[in-house]
Amino acid sequence: MSVTIRDVALRAGVSKTTVSRVLNGRGELDERTAERVRAVIDELGYVPSARAVAFARGSARVIGMLVPSLAWPWTGEVVQAAVEVAEEAGYGMLVFTATQGEQSMRRFAGHVSAKAIDGLLVIEPDGTLDAITALHDDGLPVVLIDDRGSEPRFPSVSTTNRLGARAAAHHLLALGRHRPLVVSGEPRFGCIRERLAGFDEGYASAGVTLDPGLVVEGDFTYESGQTAAARALEAGLRFDSVFAHNDVMAAGAMAVLRGAGLRIPEDVAVVGFDDLPLAAQTDPPLTAVHQPIREMGQTAARMLLAACAGTPPPDEAIVLPTSFTVRTSTAG
Amino acid sequence: MSVTIRDVALRAGVSKTTVSRVLNGRGELDERTAERVRAVIDELGYVPSARAVAFARGSARVIGMLVPSLAWPWTGEVVQAAVEVAEEAGYGMLVFTATQGEQSMRRFAGHVSAKAIDGLLVIEPDGTLDAITALHDDGLPVVLIDDRGSEPRFPSVSTTNRLGARAAAHHLLALGRHRPLVVSGEPRFGCIRERLAGFDEGYASAGVTLDPGLVVEGDFTYESGQTAAARALEAGLRFDSVFAHNDVMAAGAMAVLRGAGLRIPEDVAVVGFDDLPLAAQTDPPLTAVHQPIREMGQTAARMLLAACAGTPPPDEAIVLPTSFTVRTSTAG
DNA sequence: CTGAAAGCGCTTACAG
DNA sequence: CTGAAAGCGCTTACAG
C-alpha cells in the first residue's frame, strides 16, 4: 500500500499529530523535530491522501462550475480565467455541464449536495435556478456570472450590458444610422433584455424611436446571424446598420450582407457584442462592445473563494464596465 | 448538522449496513425493509456525503483532465465531449490547466498524487511528460489525447494526422498546385511532425518534391498565420496555395492574402486543418482536413473510465480517421 | 436477509 | 513543544 501519515510518524519517532502539524504548519513546534519529519517525508515520498484530508477537514478544496457548454467561445474564456484563480489558491475546479437537460441537472445536484464541492460558480443559470437556489439555501456558497438582477438574492458578477448597448447606439447615431437591424439573443436571458433596453434608450436619448419591426431574435450562433440578415433582406426591410448581441451573430450577418453585394460599413455598419478575439478576425474587422470576460471569471472566482473562507460576499451585484472597440465594420 | 447515515438507520430501525446496502443496491435485502429505508431517506432528505464515500471507498469517482488552455477553440470541444462521457458515467471532471508553467505543474502533481482523482486525461503533454510518467508508474490510469507515438508507453487517442495531410496534398495536386506554402505548428508536437511528413509524402507520391523554403513555422494563432503570409509575400516567394496546420492560421493567412489583392482560390488555394465550426465561417469558407474532435474526447474518456474500472486499455494507440471537407477556398 | 465492528487516513480539541 | 484519543461518515468482510 501507499505510505500513510502513520508510516511517517513511526519512522520519525513522533506522533501522527506532530506530522500533521508539520504538514499544515500549525502550532509551535521544535524546528529540529520539524526538520526530521520533513526528511522522513521526503525519504518516504509521502503525499497526504486528498480523500482522507477532505474527509477529516470537511472540505475538499474544490469548487464547482456549472456551464451551459465548454465549447462556446466565451465560456472557454470565463472558465479558463476562473480555473487559474482557483489553482492559484490551491483549489481544484470541478466542471459540470448542463447540456443534457434534466438528467445532467440531477447528477449535478447529486454531486453538489453531497458536498463534493465547497462552492459553486454558475454561468447562465437558465433553467437550473431552482436547483441552485435549493443548494444555496442549504448553505453552499454560490456566485452567478452574467446574470445580474434576474435573481438578486445571489452574489453575482456581470457587466454593464445596458450601458454597453447604449454606447453602441450612440456610436451608430454619430454615424447617422437611424435604422439599425437588431439581432438579439433569446430574451429569457437577463443580459439580452438589458441590451435591448439600453440600445433603445441610447436612441431615445437622441429623440429617435426605433422601428420594432427591425428586431430579430437570434440564438447566439453564426447561423442565426446569417438567417437574421437573410430574412431581413428577403423581407425588404430597410436598415442602414446592424447591432448583433454577440460577435458570432454579427459575423454571420456580415457574411450574408457582403454576399448580397452590400458594402460594410458604407451600406451597412455593423456592431457586435463581446469583442472576443474573433472580432478582430472578421472581414471587415468588427466594431464591438467589449466585455471584460476574463476579469468576470477572475472576480467571480475570487468572490467565491472568499465566501468559502467565510467572508460574506458583497450584497449588491458586482458590475464590471464594458468598453467599446471601434474597428472597420463601422469606421471604414 | 446535516443528516447522516446514522440518522437514517436510527429512524428506520435498521443498521447502517442495511442503509448502505439500500443506497448501493448491494446484496439481497427484503424489499419491504428497503422500501422503509427509502421512505426515511426521502423524509429526511438524506444525501450521502461525497467526501466520506470517497474516503471509505478509496475512489472519488472523479477523473482529471490536464489541458494547455480551455480558451482555445479545439480544446473546448475535446473537454466538452469528455465531460459529457464522464457525467454520463456518474463521474466528475476536475480540470487542470498547464498555463502557468512549473508552478501549476507542481500544484497539479500535488492534487493528483494525492489521489484526488481516479484517472487522468492529458492533452498535449508537452513539457509535462515527466510528471505524467511518474504518476502513471505510480498506478494512475492515464490516457493521452492527440500525441501518438511520442510516448508509446501510454494509451492514447489521436487522429490520422499523416493521412490527413496526405489527403490535403492530393487535393492540391489535383488542382495543379505544386508550390504550396506550408504554415506549420511547432514541430515539438508529434502531430505537427506527422502533418509535415504526410504532406511531403503526398507530393512525393506524385513525383513532386516540395521546396523546403516554403515551410514557415507558426504557433497556431491567427496572428502567426497573418505573419507567415505577410513574410512570404514580402520575401517574394512564389506559391500557388497554402496548407496551414490549423484553421485559425489558415484564416489569418487568407485575410492577409486577400488584403494583398490575391484571389482565393484562383490565385492561391488554401487548406486548413481541424475543420472547426469556424472553417465554415471564413471568407471564403475554408477547405480543411477534418479531425473528429468530439469523438477523440469521447473515446479517450471511455478508455479512461474503463481503465479506472479495471479494464486494461488497448496496447496500441487508437487512431481515429480524419476526413476531408472541400469548401470554396480551394474549389471556387 | 441483517447487524456489529473494524477500517479508510487524516485533523483537532484537550491535556500535559 | 508534543501526544493519546476521539471523530469525520461511510463501506465491507465476517458472522449469524
Side-chain angles (χ1 to χ4, degrees), chain A residues 152-170:
Chain A
R153 307 190 302 126
F154 291 106
S156 70
V157 175
S158 63
T159 189
T160 52
N161 283 296
R162 197 171 195 120
L163 287 177
R166 205 186 288 194
H170 290 316

Side-chain angles (χ1 to χ4, degrees), chain A residues 168-229:
Chain A
H170 290 316
H171 181 72
L172 290 173
L173 270 166
L175 297 172
R177 312 285 171 132
H178 285 201
R179 293 194 56 80
L181 175 70
V182 175
V183 184
S184 80
E186 297 151 271
R188 63 197 162 100
F189 294 112
C191 62
I192 295 306
R193 295 193 297 272
E194 296 280 313
R195 292 174 198 176
L196 287 168
F199 196 67
D200 276 352
E201 287 166 15
Y203 270 93
S205 72
V208 180
T209 303
L210 294 178
D211 180 350
L214 285 178
V215 178
V216 189
E217 183 180 322
D219 64 4
F220 300 123
T221 63
Y222 185 86
E223 289 71 24
S224 76
Q226 292 179 298
T227 306

Side-chain angles (χ1 to χ4, degrees), chain A residues 217-247:
Chain A
E217 183 180 322
D219 64 4
F220 300 123
T221 63
Y222 185 86
E223 289 71 24
S224 76
Q226 292 179 298
T227 306
R231 292 237 174 101
L233 292 175
E234 276 168 31
L237 300 181
R238 286 188 310 112
F239 57 95
D240 53 20
S241 49
V242 171
F243 174 48
H245 279 191
N246 74 356
D247 296 340

